[in-house]
Short mmCIF file of all heavy atoms in Angstrom, two decimals:
data_model
loop_
_atom_site.label_atom_id
_atom_site.label_comp_id
_atom_site.label_asym_id
_atom_site.label_seq_id
_atom_site.Cartn_x
_atom_site.Cartn_y
_atom_site.Cartn_z
N VAL C 103 51.31 145.02 219.02
CA VAL C 103 52.85 144.85 219.27
C VAL C 103 53.14 145.42 220.68
O VAL C 103 54.02 144.98 221.24
CB VAL C 103 53.57 145.56 218.10
CG1 VAL C 103 54.24 146.76 218.57
CG2 VAL C 103 54.55 144.54 217.52
N ALA C 104 52.53 146.50 221.03
CA ALA C 104 52.86 147.21 222.22
C ALA C 104 52.53 146.39 223.43
O ALA C 104 53.37 146.19 224.32
CB ALA C 104 52.13 148.58 222.38
N VAL C 105 51.29 145.73 223.46
CA VAL C 105 50.86 145.16 224.65
C VAL C 105 51.72 143.83 224.86
O VAL C 105 52.27 143.53 225.89
CB VAL C 105 49.39 144.75 224.65
CG1 VAL C 105 48.99 143.74 225.76
CG2 VAL C 105 48.56 145.99 224.73
N GLY C 107 54.61 143.16 223.55
CA GLY C 107 55.95 143.63 223.67
C GLY C 107 56.19 143.99 225.19
O GLY C 107 57.24 143.66 225.77
N VAL C 108 55.38 144.73 225.77
CA VAL C 108 55.52 145.17 227.09
C VAL C 108 55.65 143.89 228.08
O VAL C 108 56.45 143.85 228.94
CB VAL C 108 54.38 146.11 227.58
CG1 VAL C 108 54.22 146.05 229.06
CG2 VAL C 108 54.65 147.47 227.17
N VAL C 109 54.70 142.99 227.89
CA VAL C 109 54.76 141.77 228.75
C VAL C 109 56.04 141.04 228.57
O VAL C 109 56.67 140.71 229.53
CB VAL C 109 53.48 140.87 228.39
CG1 VAL C 109 53.63 139.52 229.07
CG2 VAL C 109 52.25 141.56 228.86
N LEU C 110 56.40 140.74 227.28
CA LEU C 110 57.61 140.01 227.08
C LEU C 110 58.87 140.66 227.51
O LEU C 110 59.79 140.10 228.11
CB LEU C 110 57.76 139.63 225.68
CG LEU C 110 56.73 138.60 225.06
CD1 LEU C 110 56.96 138.42 223.61
CD2 LEU C 110 56.86 137.30 225.86
N ALA C 111 58.95 142.03 227.28
CA ALA C 111 60.14 142.77 227.71
C ALA C 111 60.30 142.85 229.24
O ALA C 111 61.33 142.77 229.75
CB ALA C 111 59.96 144.25 227.21
N THR C 112 59.15 142.86 229.90
CA THR C 112 59.07 142.93 231.38
C THR C 112 59.74 141.64 231.83
O THR C 112 60.60 141.54 232.73
CB THR C 112 57.73 143.07 231.98
OG1 THR C 112 57.17 144.29 231.46
CG2 THR C 112 57.89 143.27 233.54
N VAL C 113 59.26 140.48 231.36
CA VAL C 113 59.72 139.16 231.79
C VAL C 113 61.13 139.02 231.51
O VAL C 113 61.95 138.78 232.27
CB VAL C 113 58.87 138.09 231.07
CG1 VAL C 113 59.55 136.69 231.30
CG2 VAL C 113 57.45 138.09 231.58
N THR C 116 63.36 141.46 233.54
CA THR C 116 63.44 141.16 234.98
C THR C 116 64.49 139.99 235.11
O THR C 116 65.34 140.04 236.11
CB THR C 116 62.10 140.75 235.57
OG1 THR C 116 61.13 141.80 235.25
CG2 THR C 116 62.19 140.58 237.05
N LEU C 276 62.07 145.11 219.55
CA LEU C 276 61.53 145.86 220.60
C LEU C 276 61.86 145.20 221.91
O LEU C 276 62.18 145.92 222.95
CB LEU C 276 60.04 146.20 220.43
CG LEU C 276 59.71 147.32 219.42
CD1 LEU C 276 58.18 147.38 219.24
CD2 LEU C 276 60.30 148.64 219.81
N THR C 280 64.17 146.95 224.73
CA THR C 280 63.54 147.42 225.97
C THR C 280 64.02 146.64 227.24
O THR C 280 64.17 147.18 228.29
CB THR C 280 62.05 147.52 225.85
OG1 THR C 280 61.76 148.05 224.55
CG2 THR C 280 61.41 148.33 226.96
N PHE C 283 66.98 147.99 228.97
CA PHE C 283 66.75 149.09 229.91
C PHE C 283 65.88 148.65 231.08
O PHE C 283 66.34 149.13 232.27
CB PHE C 283 65.92 150.07 229.25
CG PHE C 283 66.74 150.90 228.13
CD1 PHE C 283 66.82 150.34 226.88
CD2 PHE C 283 67.33 152.09 228.35
CE1 PHE C 283 67.49 150.98 225.92
CE2 PHE C 283 68.11 152.65 227.29
CZ PHE C 283 68.19 152.13 226.06
N ILE C 284 65.01 147.70 230.98
CA ILE C 284 64.29 147.26 232.10
C ILE C 284 65.21 146.53 233.09
O ILE C 284 64.99 146.63 234.31
CB ILE C 284 63.07 146.40 231.69
CG1 ILE C 284 62.07 147.22 231.00
CG2 ILE C 284 62.53 145.67 232.85
CD1 ILE C 284 60.75 146.53 230.62
N ILE C 287 66.81 148.97 235.34
CA ILE C 287 65.82 149.43 236.31
C ILE C 287 65.57 148.50 237.46
O ILE C 287 65.52 148.92 238.59
CB ILE C 287 64.44 149.83 235.58
CG1 ILE C 287 64.66 150.95 234.59
CG2 ILE C 287 63.43 150.20 236.57
CD1 ILE C 287 63.46 151.14 233.76
N VAL C 288 65.35 147.20 236.99
CA VAL C 288 65.13 146.16 238.05
C VAL C 288 66.38 146.09 238.98
O VAL C 288 66.26 146.09 240.32
CB VAL C 288 64.78 144.87 237.46
CG1 VAL C 288 64.94 143.75 238.40
CG2 VAL C 288 63.51 144.94 236.76
N ILE C 326 61.09 151.14 241.28
CA ILE C 326 61.12 150.49 239.95
C ILE C 326 60.07 151.05 239.08
O ILE C 326 60.18 151.38 237.89
CB ILE C 326 61.01 149.00 240.03
CG1 ILE C 326 62.22 148.40 240.50
CG2 ILE C 326 60.63 148.37 238.73
CD1 ILE C 326 62.20 146.86 240.77
N ILE C 327 58.83 151.25 239.63
CA ILE C 327 57.71 151.45 238.87
C ILE C 327 57.67 152.79 237.94
O ILE C 327 57.38 152.66 236.87
CB ILE C 327 56.35 151.39 239.63
CG1 ILE C 327 56.23 149.91 239.94
CG2 ILE C 327 55.20 151.82 238.84
CD1 ILE C 327 54.85 149.39 240.43
N PRO C 328 58.09 153.97 238.57
CA PRO C 328 58.09 155.09 237.63
C PRO C 328 58.85 154.96 236.43
O PRO C 328 58.47 155.11 235.37
CB PRO C 328 58.51 156.20 238.66
CG PRO C 328 58.23 155.82 239.85
CD PRO C 328 58.41 154.33 239.95
N PRO C 329 60.29 154.53 236.60
CA PRO C 329 61.01 154.39 235.35
C PRO C 329 60.53 153.26 234.42
O PRO C 329 60.68 153.25 233.21
CB PRO C 329 62.51 154.19 235.76
CG PRO C 329 62.40 153.84 237.20
CD PRO C 329 61.07 154.39 237.79
N MET C 330 59.99 152.32 235.05
CA MET C 330 59.43 151.11 234.28
C MET C 330 58.38 151.62 233.36
O MET C 330 58.35 151.34 232.15
CB MET C 330 58.97 150.08 235.26
CG MET C 330 58.54 148.83 234.53
SD MET C 330 60.03 147.75 234.33
CE MET C 330 59.62 146.56 235.47
N THR C 331 57.43 152.36 233.92
CA THR C 331 56.36 152.87 233.16
C THR C 331 56.91 153.75 231.98
O THR C 331 56.32 153.61 230.84
CB THR C 331 55.41 153.79 233.99
OG1 THR C 331 55.34 153.16 235.29
CG2 THR C 331 54.07 153.81 233.29
N SER C 332 57.82 154.52 232.24
CA SER C 332 58.45 155.36 231.21
C SER C 332 59.00 154.49 230.08
O SER C 332 58.87 154.82 228.99
CB SER C 332 59.48 156.25 231.84
OG SER C 332 60.45 156.59 230.99
N GLN C 333 59.59 153.23 230.46
CA GLN C 333 60.03 152.39 229.41
C GLN C 333 58.80 151.76 228.56
O GLN C 333 58.94 151.54 227.42
CB GLN C 333 60.87 151.25 230.02
CG GLN C 333 62.20 151.62 230.54
CD GLN C 333 63.00 152.28 229.34
OE1 GLN C 333 62.98 151.83 228.17
NE2 GLN C 333 63.74 153.35 229.63
N TYR C 334 57.73 151.51 229.26
CA TYR C 334 56.48 151.01 228.51
C TYR C 334 56.17 152.06 227.54
O TYR C 334 55.82 151.67 226.42
CB TYR C 334 55.44 150.77 229.42
CG TYR C 334 55.66 149.61 230.43
CD1 TYR C 334 54.78 149.35 231.48
CD2 TYR C 334 56.66 148.69 230.33
CE1 TYR C 334 54.85 148.36 232.35
CE2 TYR C 334 56.89 147.55 231.15
CZ TYR C 334 55.89 147.48 232.16
OH TYR C 334 56.21 146.39 233.05
N LEU C 335 56.19 153.28 228.00
CA LEU C 335 55.89 154.36 226.94
C LEU C 335 56.78 154.38 225.84
O LEU C 335 56.41 154.53 224.70
CB LEU C 335 55.85 155.75 227.66
CG LEU C 335 54.57 156.20 228.24
CD1 LEU C 335 54.80 157.42 229.14
CD2 LEU C 335 53.58 156.48 227.18
N ASN C 336 58.07 154.15 226.19
CA ASN C 336 59.03 154.27 225.07
C ASN C 336 58.84 153.12 224.09
O ASN C 336 59.01 153.28 222.91
CB ASN C 336 60.49 154.11 225.73
CG ASN C 336 60.99 155.42 226.20
OD1 ASN C 336 60.36 156.46 226.03
ND2 ASN C 336 62.01 155.41 227.04
N LEU C 337 58.55 151.96 224.64
CA LEU C 337 58.32 150.82 223.74
C LEU C 337 57.22 151.05 222.70
O LEU C 337 57.24 150.85 221.64
CB LEU C 337 58.04 149.52 224.62
CG LEU C 337 58.06 148.24 223.73
CD1 LEU C 337 58.51 147.12 224.65
CD2 LEU C 337 56.66 147.89 223.28
N THR C 338 56.04 151.61 223.29
CA THR C 338 54.88 151.97 222.51
C THR C 338 55.30 152.95 221.45
O THR C 338 55.01 152.84 220.25
CB THR C 338 53.88 152.53 223.31
OG1 THR C 338 53.60 151.64 224.48
CG2 THR C 338 52.53 152.77 222.61
N LYS C 339 56.06 154.01 221.83
CA LYS C 339 56.47 155.02 220.82
C LYS C 339 57.43 154.48 219.81
O LYS C 339 57.41 154.67 218.60
CB LYS C 339 57.05 156.22 221.57
CG LYS C 339 56.05 157.03 222.21
CD LYS C 339 56.55 158.35 222.72
CE LYS C 339 57.41 158.18 223.90
NZ LYS C 339 58.00 159.44 224.51
N ASN C 340 58.34 153.52 220.34
CA ASN C 340 59.26 152.96 219.42
C ASN C 340 58.66 152.02 218.35
O ASN C 340 59.26 151.85 217.42
CB ASN C 340 60.38 152.24 220.24
CG ASN C 340 61.37 153.10 220.84
OD1 ASN C 340 61.54 154.28 220.47
ND2 ASN C 340 61.96 152.62 221.91
N SER C 341 57.52 151.57 218.69
CA SER C 341 56.83 150.64 217.79
C SER C 341 56.56 151.39 216.46
O SER C 341 56.25 150.77 215.44
CB SER C 341 55.56 150.08 218.37
OG SER C 341 54.59 151.07 218.46
N TYR C 377 49.05 158.58 219.77
CA TYR C 377 50.13 158.38 220.76
C TYR C 377 49.94 159.23 221.94
O TYR C 377 50.25 158.87 223.10
CB TYR C 377 51.55 158.82 220.04
CG TYR C 377 52.02 157.55 219.30
CD1 TYR C 377 51.94 157.55 217.89
CD2 TYR C 377 52.56 156.37 219.92
CE1 TYR C 377 52.33 156.49 217.11
CE2 TYR C 377 52.96 155.36 219.25
CZ TYR C 377 52.84 155.42 217.76
OH TYR C 377 53.26 154.34 217.06
N ILE C 380 47.59 157.66 224.22
CA ILE C 380 48.14 156.49 225.06
C ILE C 380 49.19 157.07 226.10
O ILE C 380 48.97 156.64 227.26
CB ILE C 380 49.00 155.54 224.07
CG1 ILE C 380 47.96 155.01 222.94
CG2 ILE C 380 49.64 154.43 224.76
CD1 ILE C 380 48.72 154.11 222.01
N SER C 381 49.93 158.04 225.67
CA SER C 381 50.93 158.49 226.69
C SER C 381 50.25 159.08 227.86
O SER C 381 50.59 158.86 229.04
CB SER C 381 51.76 159.57 226.10
OG SER C 381 52.40 159.17 224.95
N ILE C 384 48.62 156.56 230.26
CA ILE C 384 49.67 155.96 231.07
C ILE C 384 50.12 156.86 232.09
O ILE C 384 50.43 156.39 233.34
CB ILE C 384 50.77 155.26 230.21
CG1 ILE C 384 50.15 154.21 229.23
CG2 ILE C 384 51.84 154.78 231.09
CD1 ILE C 384 51.21 153.46 228.53
N PHE C 387 47.64 157.29 234.93
CA PHE C 387 47.69 156.15 235.85
C PHE C 387 48.74 156.16 236.72
O PHE C 387 48.75 155.96 237.90
CB PHE C 387 47.62 154.87 234.91
CG PHE C 387 47.74 153.67 235.78
CD1 PHE C 387 46.75 153.21 236.53
CD2 PHE C 387 48.95 152.92 235.70
CE1 PHE C 387 46.90 152.01 237.27
CE2 PHE C 387 49.29 151.85 236.45
CZ PHE C 387 48.17 151.33 237.29
N MET C 388 49.99 156.42 236.14
CA MET C 388 51.23 156.50 236.88
C MET C 388 51.17 157.46 238.06
O MET C 388 51.53 157.20 239.19
CB MET C 388 52.38 156.86 235.88
CG MET C 388 53.25 155.70 235.72
SD MET C 388 54.30 155.62 237.22
CE MET C 388 54.93 157.23 237.26
#
Side-chain angles (χ1 to χ4, degrees):
Chain C
V103 110
V105 169
V108 156
V109 168
L110 290 178
T112 308
V113 168
T116 308
L276 282 175
T280 313
F283 291 84
I284 290 184
I287 294 173
V288 167
I326 288 177
I327 290 197
M330 185 85 105
T331 322
S332 153
Q333 283 306 317
Y334 291 169
L335 266 174
N336 281 347
L337 190 146
T338 311
K339 286 188 286 178
N340 284 338
S341 70
Y377 280 102
I380 300 179
S381 302
I384 297 188
F387 170 74
M388 246 285 301

